[in-house]
Each structure stands twice: as structure tokens, then as C-alpha cells.
Amino acid sequence: RIKPEKVKFADERLKDNSYQSKGGPQNDYGDKAHRDLIVTRGAGFRKEKNKKKRGSYRGGEITMESHSIKFTD
């Protein structure tokens, strides 16, 4: 088993894996899709996700901003 107190993170941003923790604009395409899909659980998620992928979905601004984390190794 992994002991949580012995885990070392290479970057503090890796501790929180939620969508809101990434930062960035609050009106972009991903944020709107996140708000719509976070309440969906189980088999219904696939249906809702596929509905969003169709051309009629108007989410928000598509940004080219990167939220990647650079590692030295």
C-alpha cells in the first residue's frame, strides 16, 4: 500500500486533480463542458459527452492556453 504521508510531489499543482484547480479563464469551452458534465454519473455520462461532441454544442471560447507542468528529469 501507498502511505500518503511518504508521497512527494514534483510540483504542488499535482496535489489537486480537479478541473477548477488548473486556473485559466472561466468562460472557455472546457469550463462550460465541465459544468454540464460534472453532475452526470454512470452510463448517462457517455450520452451527454457525445451530445457535446456534435456540432450544435455552443460551449464557449476555445483557448490555446497550455496548463502543462515541466519536469526536470
Tab-separated table of all heavy atoms in Angstrom, residues 5-48:
chain	number	residue	atom	x	y	z
A	5	GLU	N	1.545	9.917	3.598
A	5	GLU	CA	2.492	10.844	4.225
A	5	GLU	C	3.896	10.734	3.629
A	5	GLU	O	4.714	11.623	3.788
A	5	GLU	CB	2.546	10.627	5.743
A	5	GLU	CG	3.002	9.247	6.189
A	5	GLU	CD	1.881	8.227	6.255
A	5	GLU	OE1	0.727	8.561	5.970
A	5	GLU	OE2	2.186	7.081	6.607
A	6	LYS	N	4.185	9.648	2.892
A	6	LYS	CA	5.504	9.473	2.287
A	6	LYS	C	5.554	9.880	0.811
A	6	LYS	O	6.611	9.835	0.203
A	6	LYS	CB	5.947	8.020	2.417
A	6	LYS	CG	6.219	7.625	3.849
A	6	LYS	CD	6.836	6.256	3.940
A	6	LYS	CE	7.161	5.931	5.384
A	6	LYS	NZ	7.843	4.654	5.479
A	7	VAL	N	4.438	10.280	0.262
A	7	VAL	CA	4.396	10.677	-1.146
A	7	VAL	C	4.986	12.072	-1.293
A	7	VAL	O	4.641	12.991	-0.555
A	7	VAL	CB	2.945	10.654	-1.676
A	7	VAL	CG1	2.879	11.212	-3.083
A	7	VAL	CG2	2.395	9.250	-1.636
A	8	LYS	N	5.894	12.228	-2.263
A	8	LYS	CA	6.486	13.533	-2.554
A	8	LYS	C	6.034	13.962	-3.948
A	8	LYS	O	6.141	13.192	-4.895
A	8	LYS	CB	8.011	13.457	-2.509
A	8	LYS	CG	8.555	13.157	-1.140
A	8	LYS	CD	10.062	13.090	-1.154
A	8	LYS	CE	10.573	12.700	0.217
A	8	LYS	NZ	12.018	12.511	0.220
A	9	PHE	N	5.533	15.171	-4.050
A	9	PHE	CA	5.062	15.698	-5.323
A	9	PHE	C	6.161	16.528	-5.968
A	9	PHE	O	6.805	17.341	-5.306
A	9	PHE	CB	3.810	16.560	-5.130
A	9	PHE	CG	2.596	15.757	-4.751
A	9	PHE	CD1	2.237	15.589	-3.436
A	9	PHE	CD2	1.837	15.165	-5.736
A	9	PHE	CE1	1.134	14.850	-3.101
A	9	PHE	CE2	0.720	14.423	-5.409
A	9	PHE	CZ	0.373	14.250	-4.087
A	10	ALA	N	6.364	16.331	-7.265
A	10	ALA	CA	7.366	17.098	-8.001
A	10	ALA	C	6.921	18.546	-8.158
A	10	ALA	O	7.747	19.444	-8.294
A	10	ALA	CB	7.608	16.473	-9.367
A	11	ASP	N	5.622	18.783	-8.120
A	11	ASP	CA	5.078	20.132	-8.248
A	11	ASP	C	3.811	20.200	-7.402
A	11	ASP	O	3.015	19.257	-7.390
A	11	ASP	CB	4.755	20.423	-9.724
A	11	ASP	CG	4.441	21.880	-9.964
A	11	ASP	OD1	3.414	22.356	-9.426
A	11	ASP	OD2	5.204	22.532	-10.678
A	12	GLU	N	3.603	21.296	-6.704
A	12	GLU	CA	2.436	21.447	-5.822
A	12	GLU	C	1.118	21.374	-6.579
A	12	GLU	O	0.094	20.993	-6.028
A	12	GLU	CB	2.524	22.772	-5.058
A	12	GLU	CG	3.639	22.803	-4.034
A	12	GLU	CD	3.444	21.777	-2.941
A	12	GLU	OE1	2.326	21.664	-2.398
A	12	GLU	OE2	4.411	21.063	-2.634
A	13	ARG	N	1.111	21.732	-7.859
A	13	ARG	CA	-0.127	21.717	-8.649
A	13	ARG	C	-0.638	20.299	-8.888
A	13	ARG	O	-1.786	20.105	-9.257
A	13	ARG	CB	0.086	22.416	-9.980
A	13	ARG	CG	0.365	23.907	-9.820
A	13	ARG	CD	0.692	24.541	-11.126
A	13	ARG	NE	2.032	24.132	-11.533
A	13	ARG	CZ	2.626	24.487	-12.655
A	13	ARG	NH1	1.987	25.250	-13.508
A	13	ARG	NH2	3.839	24.086	-12.940
A	14	LEU	N	0.202	19.293	-8.654
A	14	LEU	CA	-0.209	17.906	-8.861
A	14	LEU	C	-1.049	17.356	-7.708
A	14	LEU	O	-1.646	16.295	-7.839
A	14	LEU	CB	1.023	17.017	-9.061
A	14	LEU	CG	1.842	17.316	-10.305
A	14	LEU	CD1	3.130	16.513	-10.285
A	14	LEU	CD2	1.046	16.993	-11.542
A	15	LYS	N	-1.119	18.064	-6.609
A	15	LYS	CA	-1.889	17.592	-5.450
A	15	LYS	C	-3.384	17.621	-5.687
A	15	LYS	O	-4.123	16.809	-5.147
A	15	LYS	CB	-1.552	18.428	-4.216
A	15	LYS	CG	-0.182	18.141	-3.666
A	15	LYS	CD	0.061	18.905	-2.395
A	15	LYS	CE	1.401	18.533	-1.812
A	15	LYS	NZ	1.645	19.218	-0.542
A	16	ASP	N	-3.849	18.549	-6.493
A	16	ASP	CA	-5.280	18.687	-6.760
A	16	ASP	C	-5.521	18.405	-8.242
A	16	ASP	O	-5.030	19.130	-9.097
A	16	ASP	CB	-5.748	20.095	-6.405
A	16	ASP	CG	-7.247	20.255	-6.522
A	16	ASP	OD1	-7.945	19.257	-6.802
A	16	ASP	OD2	-7.733	21.387	-6.335
A	17	ASN	N	-6.284	17.355	-8.551
A	17	ASN	CA	-6.506	16.939	-9.928
A	17	ASN	C	-7.858	17.401	-10.465
A	17	ASN	O	-8.315	16.924	-11.488
A	17	ASN	CB	-6.388	15.409	-10.026
A	17	ASN	CG	-6.140	14.953	-11.437
A	17	ASN	OD1	-5.570	15.683	-12.229
A	17	ASN	ND2	-6.589	13.750	-11.743
A	18	SER	N	-8.507	18.343	-9.793
A	18	SER	CA	-9.818	18.797	-10.238
A	18	SER	C	-9.685	19.799	-11.386
A	18	SER	O	-8.637	20.424	-11.569
A	18	SER	CB	-10.581	19.435	-9.085
A	18	SER	OG	-9.941	20.616	-8.673
A	19	TYR	N	-10.746	19.962	-12.138
A	19	TYR	CA	-10.728	20.880	-13.273
A	19	TYR	C	-10.537	22.330	-12.819
A	19	TYR	O	-9.820	23.093	-13.450
A	19	TYR	CB	-12.024	20.757	-14.083
A	19	TYR	CG	-12.020	21.646	-15.299
A	19	TYR	CD1	-11.386	21.250	-16.460
A	19	TYR	CD2	-12.610	22.899	-15.265
A	19	TYR	CE1	-11.343	22.075	-17.573
A	19	TYR	CE2	-12.578	23.730	-16.371
A	19	TYR	CZ	-11.943	23.309	-17.522
A	19	TYR	OH	-11.891	24.127	-18.609
A	20	GLN	N	-11.171	22.704	-11.721
A	20	GLN	CA	-11.091	24.082	-11.251
A	20	GLN	C	-9.675	24.460	-10.824
A	20	GLN	O	-9.314	25.628	-10.858
A	20	GLN	CB	-12.035	24.318	-10.063
A	20	GLN	CG	-13.474	24.222	-10.385
A	20	GLN	CD	-14.003	22.803	-10.281
A	20	GLN	OE1	-13.286	21.894	-9.908
A	20	GLN	NE2	-15.255	22.623	-10.628
A	21	SER	N	-8.854	23.500	-10.440
A	21	SER	CA	-7.517	23.822	-9.938
A	21	SER	C	-6.540	24.224	-11.040
A	21	SER	O	-5.485	24.755	-10.754
A	21	SER	CB	-6.947	22.634	-9.169
A	21	SER	OG	-6.663	21.570	-10.057
A	22	LYS	N	-6.885	23.998	-12.303
A	22	LYS	CA	-5.953	24.304	-13.389
A	22	LYS	C	-5.799	25.787	-13.621
A	22	LYS	O	-4.828	26.228	-14.194
A	22	LYS	CB	-6.374	23.625	-14.684
A	22	LYS	CG	-7.527	24.310	-15.391
A	22	LYS	CD	-7.703	23.803	-16.780
A	22	LYS	CE	-8.801	24.493	-17.488
A	22	LYS	NZ	-8.582	25.883	-17.783
A	23	GLY	N	-6.749	26.592	-13.184
A	23	GLY	CA	-6.682	28.028	-13.421
A	23	GLY	C	-7.141	28.361	-14.833
A	23	GLY	O	-7.694	27.527	-15.538
A	24	GLY	N	-6.888	29.562	-15.261
A	24	GLY	CA	-7.271	29.964	-16.610
A	24	GLY	C	-8.613	30.658	-16.641
A	24	GLY	O	-9.248	30.890	-15.617
A	25	PRO	N	-9.080	31.004	-17.846
A	25	PRO	CA	-10.343	31.745	-17.976
A	25	PRO	C	-11.543	30.899	-17.551
A	25	PRO	O	-11.525	29.680	-17.665
A	25	PRO	CB	-10.416	32.091	-19.460
A	25	PRO	CG	-9.514	31.129	-20.129
A	25	PRO	CD	-8.458	30.750	-19.135
A	26	GLN	N	-12.563	31.570	-17.064
A	26	GLN	CA	-13.760	30.881	-16.583
A	26	GLN	C	-14.874	30.820	-17.621
A	26	GLN	O	-15.947	30.332	-17.328
A	26	GLN	CB	-14.278	31.575	-15.324
A	26	GLN	CG	-13.317	31.481	-14.170
A	26	GLN	CD	-13.065	30.051	-13.742
A	26	GLN	OE1	-14.000	29.265	-13.616
A	26	GLN	NE2	-11.815	29.696	-13.536
A	27	ASN	N	-14.635	31.294	-18.831
A	27	ASN	CA	-15.707	31.298	-19.834
A	27	ASN	C	-15.323	30.481	-21.061
A	27	ASN	O	-15.920	30.641	-22.107
A	27	ASN	CB	-16.030	32.733	-20.241
A	27	ASN	CG	-14.840	33.415	-20.889
A	27	ASN	OD1	-13.710	32.991	-20.734
A	27	ASN	ND2	-15.101	34.486	-21.603
A	28	ASP	N	-14.333	29.607	-20.937
A	28	ASP	CA	-13.879	28.873	-22.115
A	28	ASP	C	-14.709	27.608	-22.323
A	28	ASP	O	-15.576	27.251	-21.525
A	28	ASP	CB	-12.381	28.567	-22.040
A	28	ASP	CG	-12.015	27.608	-20.929
A	28	ASP	OD1	-12.847	27.405	-20.032
A	28	ASP	OD2	-10.892	27.078	-20.961
A	29	TYR	N	-14.447	26.937	-23.409
A	29	TYR	CA	-15.190	25.749	-23.823
A	29	TYR	C	-15.125	24.646	-22.757
A	29	TYR	O	-16.132	24.029	-22.423
A	29	TYR	CB	-14.601	25.248	-25.145
A	29	TYR	CG	-15.393	24.164	-25.813
A	29	TYR	CD1	-16.395	24.463	-26.716
A	29	TYR	CD2	-15.129	22.826	-25.549
A	29	TYR	CE1	-17.119	23.469	-27.340
A	29	TYR	CE2	-15.851	21.827	-26.170
A	29	TYR	CZ	-16.836	22.154	-27.056
A	29	TYR	OH	-17.545	21.166	-27.655
A	30	GLY	N	-13.925	24.401	-22.230
A	30	GLY	CA	-13.747	23.341	-21.240
A	30	GLY	C	-14.515	23.602	-19.960
A	30	GLY	O	-15.049	22.680	-19.347
A	31	ASP	N	-14.565	24.841	-19.519
A	31	ASP	CA	-15.277	25.180	-18.290
A	31	ASP	C	-16.768	24.939	-18.441
A	31	ASP	O	-17.411	24.393	-17.549
A	31	ASP	CB	-15.008	26.633	-17.907
A	31	ASP	CG	-15.595	26.979	-16.562
A	31	ASP	OD1	-15.252	26.297	-15.579
A	31	ASP	OD2	-16.413	27.916	-16.498
A	32	LYS	N	-17.329	25.333	-19.576
A	32	LYS	CA	-18.763	25.114	-19.814
A	32	LYS	C	-19.070	23.619	-19.878
A	32	LYS	O	-20.049	23.152	-19.292
A	32	LYS	CB	-19.172	25.810	-21.122
A	32	LYS	CG	-20.599	25.574	-21.554
A	32	LYS	CD	-21.543	26.539	-20.904
A	32	LYS	CE	-22.908	26.601	-21.537
A	32	LYS	NZ	-23.595	25.376	-21.747
A	33	ALA	N	-18.227	22.857	-20.576
A	33	ALA	CA	-18.434	21.411	-20.661
A	33	ALA	C	-18.289	20.773	-19.283
A	33	ALA	O	-19.056	19.874	-18.924
A	33	ALA	CB	-17.442	20.801	-21.640
A	34	HIS	N	-17.341	21.250	-18.493
A	34	HIS	CA	-17.147	20.715	-17.139
A	34	HIS	C	-18.394	20.940	-16.283
A	34	HIS	O	-18.859	20.020	-15.607
A	34	HIS	CB	-15.939	21.372	-16.479
A	34	HIS	CG	-15.858	21.123	-15.013
A	34	HIS	ND1	-15.507	19.906	-14.492
A	34	HIS	CD2	-16.120	21.923	-13.962
A	34	HIS	CE1	-15.547	19.977	-13.173
A	34	HIS	NE2	-15.918	21.200	-12.830
A	35	ARG	N	-18.932	22.158	-16.329
A	35	ARG	CA	-20.132	22.449	-15.536
A	35	ARG	C	-21.311	21.579	-15.953
A	35	ARG	O	-22.116	21.170	-15.120
A	35	ARG	CB	-20.500	23.925	-15.652
A	35	ARG	CG	-19.627	24.803	-14.765
A	35	ARG	CD	-20.078	26.241	-14.774
A	35	ARG	NE	-19.397	26.895	-15.905
A	35	ARG	CZ	-19.991	27.678	-16.783
A	35	ARG	NH1	-21.267	27.937	-16.690
A	35	ARG	NH2	-19.303	28.215	-17.776
A	36	ASP	N	-21.421	21.285	-17.257
A	36	ASP	CA	-22.525	20.450	-17.734
A	36	ASP	C	-22.329	18.981	-17.383
A	36	ASP	O	-23.288	18.271	-17.083
A	36	ASP	CB	-22.666	20.581	-19.251
A	36	ASP	CG	-23.151	21.953	-19.671
A	36	ASP	OD1	-23.638	22.702	-18.799
A	36	ASP	OD2	-23.044	22.274	-20.865
A	37	LEU	N	-21.092	18.504	-17.431
A	37	LEU	CA	-20.845	17.073	-17.275
A	37	LEU	C	-20.515	16.635	-15.850
A	37	LEU	O	-20.595	15.444	-15.549
A	37	LEU	CB	-19.701	16.635	-18.198
A	37	LEU	CG	-20.024	16.703	-19.684
A	37	LEU	CD1	-18.776	16.425	-20.500
A	37	LEU	CD2	-21.121	15.733	-20.052
A	38	ILE	N	-20.143	17.552	-14.961
A	38	ILE	CA	-19.747	17.163	-13.610
A	38	ILE	C	-20.924	16.543	-12.840
A	38	ILE	O	-20.724	15.690	-11.980
A	38	ILE	CB	-19.139	18.351	-12.827
A	38	ILE	CG1	-18.460	17.889	-11.556
A	38	ILE	CG2	-20.193	19.395	-12.501
A	38	ILE	CD1	-17.230	17.070	-11.774
A	39	VAL	N	-22.136	16.901	-13.180
A	39	VAL	CA	-23.305	16.373	-12.471
A	39	VAL	C	-23.764	15.027	-13.027
A	39	VAL	O	-24.621	14.382	-12.437
A	39	VAL	CB	-24.481	17.377	-12.524
A	39	VAL	CG1	-24.122	18.642	-11.782
A	39	VAL	CG2	-24.869	17.681	-13.945
A	40	THR	N	-23.182	14.588	-14.141
A	40	THR	CA	-23.610	13.352	-14.796
A	40	THR	C	-22.741	12.194	-14.333
A	40	THR	O	-21.519	12.272	-14.370
A	40	THR	CB	-23.497	13.491	-16.328
A	40	THR	OG1	-24.167	14.680	-16.719
A	40	THR	CG2	-24.121	12.311	-17.017
A	41	ARG	N	-23.362	11.104	-13.919
A	41	ARG	CA	-22.637	9.933	-13.448
A	41	ARG	C	-23.110	8.696	-14.200
A	41	ARG	O	-24.235	8.624	-14.683
A	41	ARG	CB	-22.869	9.697	-11.949
A	41	ARG	CG	-22.380	10.817	-11.073
A	41	ARG	CD	-20.889	10.714	-10.896
A	41	ARG	NE	-20.409	11.752	-10.004
A	41	ARG	CZ	-19.425	12.562	-10.287
A	41	ARG	NH1	-18.818	12.493	-11.428
A	41	ARG	NH2	-19.039	13.469	-9.436
A	42	GLY	N	-22.247	7.711	-14.286
A	42	GLY	CA	-22.620	6.413	-14.849
A	42	GLY	C	-22.751	6.410	-16.356
A	42	GLY	O	-22.070	7.127	-17.072
A	43	ALA	N	-23.666	5.577	-16.841
A	43	ALA	CA	-23.839	5.378	-18.282
A	43	ALA	C	-24.346	6.641	-18.973
A	43	ALA	O	-24.099	6.835	-20.156
A	43	ALA	CB	-24.806	4.228	-18.542
A	44	GLY	N	-25.028	7.503	-18.257
A	44	GLY	CA	-25.529	8.736	-18.844
A	44	GLY	C	-24.411	9.686	-19.256
A	44	GLY	O	-24.601	10.545	-20.108
A	45	PHE	N	-23.220	9.520	-18.649
A	45	PHE	CA	-22.093	10.391	-18.988
A	45	PHE	C	-21.717	10.235	-20.450
A	45	PHE	O	-21.469	11.222	-21.141
A	45	PHE	CB	-20.888	10.070	-18.103
A	45	PHE	CG	-19.703	10.941	-18.389
A	45	PHE	CD1	-19.613	12.190	-17.815
A	45	PHE	CD2	-18.701	10.523	-19.236
A	45	PHE	CE1	-18.526	13.015	-18.081
A	45	PHE	CE2	-17.617	11.325	-19.514
A	45	PHE	CZ	-17.527	12.574	-18.922
A	46	ARG	N	-21.673	9.018	-20.956
A	46	ARG	CA	-21.292	8.785	-22.357
A	46	ARG	C	-22.270	9.478	-23.308
A	46	ARG	O	-21.871	10.102	-24.278
A	46	ARG	CB	-21.239	7.291	-22.658
A	46	ARG	CG	-20.788	7.008	-24.080
A	46	ARG	CD	-20.817	5.541	-24.440
A	46	ARG	NE	-20.181	4.704	-23.469
A	46	ARG	CZ	-20.775	3.654	-22.886
A	46	ARG	NH1	-22.011	3.329	-23.199
A	46	ARG	NH2	-20.135	2.925	-22.021
A	47	LYS	N	-23.548	9.373	-22.995
A	47	LYS	CA	-24.564	10.004	-23.845
A	47	LYS	C	-24.395	11.518	-23.865
A	47	LYS	O	-24.405	12.144	-24.925
A	47	LYS	CB	-25.950	9.627	-23.335
A	47	LYS	CG	-27.067	10.249	-24.132
A	47	LYS	CD	-28.413	9.891	-23.553
A	47	LYS	CE	-29.499	10.610	-24.305
A	47	LYS	NZ	-30.766	10.581	-23.620
A	48	GLU	N	-24.219	12.113	-22.694
A	48	GLU	CA	-24.063	13.566	-22.610
A	48	GLU	C	-22.767	14.025	-23.278
A	48	GLU	O	-22.738	15.043	-23.953
A	48	GLU	CB	-24.096	14.022	-21.156
A	48	GLU	CG	-25.439	13.865	-20.492
A	48	GLU	CD	-26.521	14.687	-21.161
A	48	GLU	OE1	-26.244	15.847	-21.530
A	48	GLU	OE2	-27.634	14.186	-21.330
